[in-house]
């Protein structure tokens, strides 16, 4: 069936389901957006747990591992970001890749302090 959030609470949050490789954006307790992602490949796992958006950058940003588009960091060195390569399987270095075409709108909705729940 279609992806469904695992957690229900009031307010806004993001869920990243690593098993299904999807990101779900929740607003006011309702699912408003589902996007495909590509998470960390074997040996470079995306961390699971509950986080918050810590800080953001806009546009293309060069990091030691390459380029990412409009990253929203949920840990000091882990972010949800746009990428030109978002296969349907884990392929990143631990980040949460989203399609570049969806990242401008998504990044605008991932505000500092927004809860991010990541799980298998």
């Amino acid at each position: 069936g279609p992806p469904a959030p695992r957690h229900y609470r009031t307010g806004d949050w993001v869920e990243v389901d690593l098993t299904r490789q999807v990101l779900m954006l929740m607003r006011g307790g309702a699912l408003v957006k589902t996007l495909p992602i590509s998470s960390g490949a074997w040996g470079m796992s995306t961390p699971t747990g509950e986080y918050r958006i810590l800080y953001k950058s806009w546009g293309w940003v060069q990091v030691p591992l390459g380029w990412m588009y409009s990253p929203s960091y949920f840990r000091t060195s882990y972010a949800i970001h746009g990428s030109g390569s978002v296969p349907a399987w884990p392929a990143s270095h631990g980040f949460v890749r989203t399609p570049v075409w969806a990242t401008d709108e998504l990044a605008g909705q991932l505000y500092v302090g927004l809860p991010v729940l990541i799980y298998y």
Side-chain angles (χ1 to χ4, degrees):
R6 180 180 294 177
H7 302 276
Y8 287 95
R9 51 175 71 187
T10 59
D12 305 338
W13 72 95
V14 169
E15 291 193 24
V16 177
D17 183 336
L18 299 173
T19 300
R20 298 185 79 165
Q21 294 290 287
V22 295
L23 177 147
M24 293 165 278
L25 179 63
M26 308 296 292
R27 287 276 180 250
L31 177 63
V32 296
K33 183 179 301 297
T34 303
L35 290 172
I37 63 140
S38 184
S39 64
W42 185 85
M44 298 171 279
S45 299
T46 302
T48 58
E50 184 167 344
Y51 306 96
R52 291 189 178 272
I53 299 296
L54 300 173
Y55 61 99
K56 304 168 63 76
S57 295
W58 294 97
W60 287 101
V61 177
Q62 187 172 19
V63 296
L65 297 171
W67 290 88
M68 55 186 175
Y69 187 68
S70 294
S72 297
Y73 290 87
F74 57 89
R75 282 181 59 173
T76 303
S77 57
Y78 290 93
I80 298 167
H81 71 88
S83 175
S85 174
V86 185
W89 57 85
S92 81
H93 289 93
F95 294 87
V96 177
R97 295 181 188 174
T98 60
V100 168
W101 56 263
T103 303
D104 283 333
E105 182 181 351
L106 177 65
Q109 297 173 332
L110 300 180
Y111 54 85
V112 172
L114 180 71
V116 178
L117 310 173
I118 303 174
Y119 55 83
Y120 283 96

